[in-house]
Amino acid sequence: MIHKKKNKKLRVALLANTGWYFYNFRLSLIKYLKKDFEIHLICPFDSYTPKIIEKGIYIHKWNLKSSSTNLFKEINSIISLYKIYKNINPDIVHHFTIKSVLYGTLISNFCRTRYVFNSITGLGTVFLSNKLKDKFINFLIIPIYKIIIKTSKSNLIFQNKWDLNFFIKLNIATKHNSFLIRGSGINTKYFKDNKNSKSFPKKKYWQLLFPARLIREKGINELIIACDSLWEKNKNFRLFIAGEFNLNQRGNLSKNHIEKIREREYVVGIKHQINMKSIYLKSDIVILPTWREGLSRALLEAGSMELPIITTNVPGCKDVVLHRKTGLLIKKEDPKSIKNAINFLMENKNLCKQFGVNARNHIEKNFTNEIVNGQTLNLYKKIISENKIRKNQLKKKRT
């Protein structure tokens, strides 16, 4: 049971579809907001729940299956969330990830929550896929977004300007309620290579790193085609794939497909990594030929570690990488572009070092935890202040 506030702090509820998301992407923001607000997290419990509780943060169990499309389970999730919101009675709610945005905004309307913030962390597979099934789901989702989000008084936070403009074009968002906060922030003090003198490659061969989930939309198939071509030309490299694979996830590779990738001589591992810093320290070039991102956390980490980057010239990537300054931007779904970019960096070792230095400088100026957390807090305060001004104006009109 949540009791009435004993202090003047506003109560903030943050909602996501996993504890993993909170711990890995928003822990810095949560700690930052705790100085000014009473913070409550809402998510399904997972292996990260105990770690969050250890930080002294209130956390509430939400009965949700993030990948479920079962109507009865989804209704149960909505009812579960309604009970939690009524119990907490938050002044501010902030939703992350698609289901959280839709269900959280819907419940916020019923509960008449004063301040609602929705972070659009990416368009998701459904918006990117050309499959008939996904196009049909897309056809259904857009009207739902319009009904739930546009009719609410929520504030939308986007990680890149392309997604922001896309939602405005679809008539889901407006310029008035849309804001740009680029990413979830990065701890540049932690993601730092303390070696003063760096040489490329670090070993007798080039270590390439693919830091993403094994789904088609991350460009893994195009990367393998490019690497096959380089390997045939006797290029001296190894590829490490630091990403998890979920066979039940939309856009996933089949188990047989993954095993065929694993069998390649140049692939030295396919494994989800908890400690990515140790992997970056061993790597020479980070490659992410994704089709689109909200704003790639992996690229922020790689750049902060002073690594040259190859990524696609798409939203969420071209925000992080400056072409021929901090890395190389390539064409989407184009193995030849990937191959040429890898070959170019292998033949220009000094440029790899310069790209890495420039990348860290760029990230320190634009994407640190301090910058992103400050922008989020300032947005909260801005919306609260504007609301108070409107209320005072209405009072004056009435008198």
Side-chain angles (χ1 to χ4, degrees), residues 222-223 225-226 289 291 312 330-340:
E222 297 92 275
L223 175 59
I225 293 170
W291 299 358
T312 33
I330 56 173
K331 294 178 182 178
K332 173 184 166 184
E333 298 181 70
D334 189 342
K336 187 176 180 181
S337 290
I338 300 171
K339 182 191 76 171
N340 291 340

Side-chain angles (χ1 to χ4, degrees), residues 100-162:
S100 301
V101 166
L102 291 175
Y103 295 174
T105 305
L106 180 66
I107 298 305
S108 298
N109 291 340
F110 279 113
C111 295
R112 297 184 179 180
T113 308
R114 281 193 285 172
Y115 306 106
V116 181
F117 296 87
N118 287 318
S119 282
I120 309 300
T121 53
L123 296 185
T125 301
V126 171
F127 283 97
L128 301 177
S129 175
N130 289 318
K131 284 187 173 181
L132 187 61
K133 180 183 176 182
D134 289 333
K135 283 185 176 182
F136 178 70
I137 294 173
N138 193 356
F139 176 76
L140 296 176
I141 281 181
I142 290 175
I144 293 171
Y145 263 109
K146 288 181 180 179
I147 292 168
I148 294 177
I149 296 178
K150 196 176 180 186
T151 56
S152 73
K153 295 181 180 179
S154 67
N155 303 281
L156 301 178
I157 301 171
F158 296 88
Q159 295 194 338
N160 65 68
K161 63 183 180 181
W162 292 275

Side-chain angles (χ1 to χ4, degrees), residues 313-328:
N313 187 19
V314 297
C317 295
K318 57 184 175 182
D319 304 73
V320 179
V321 175
L322 307 177
H323 187 53
R324 288 186 172 270
K325 186 174 181 182
T326 67
L328 298 174

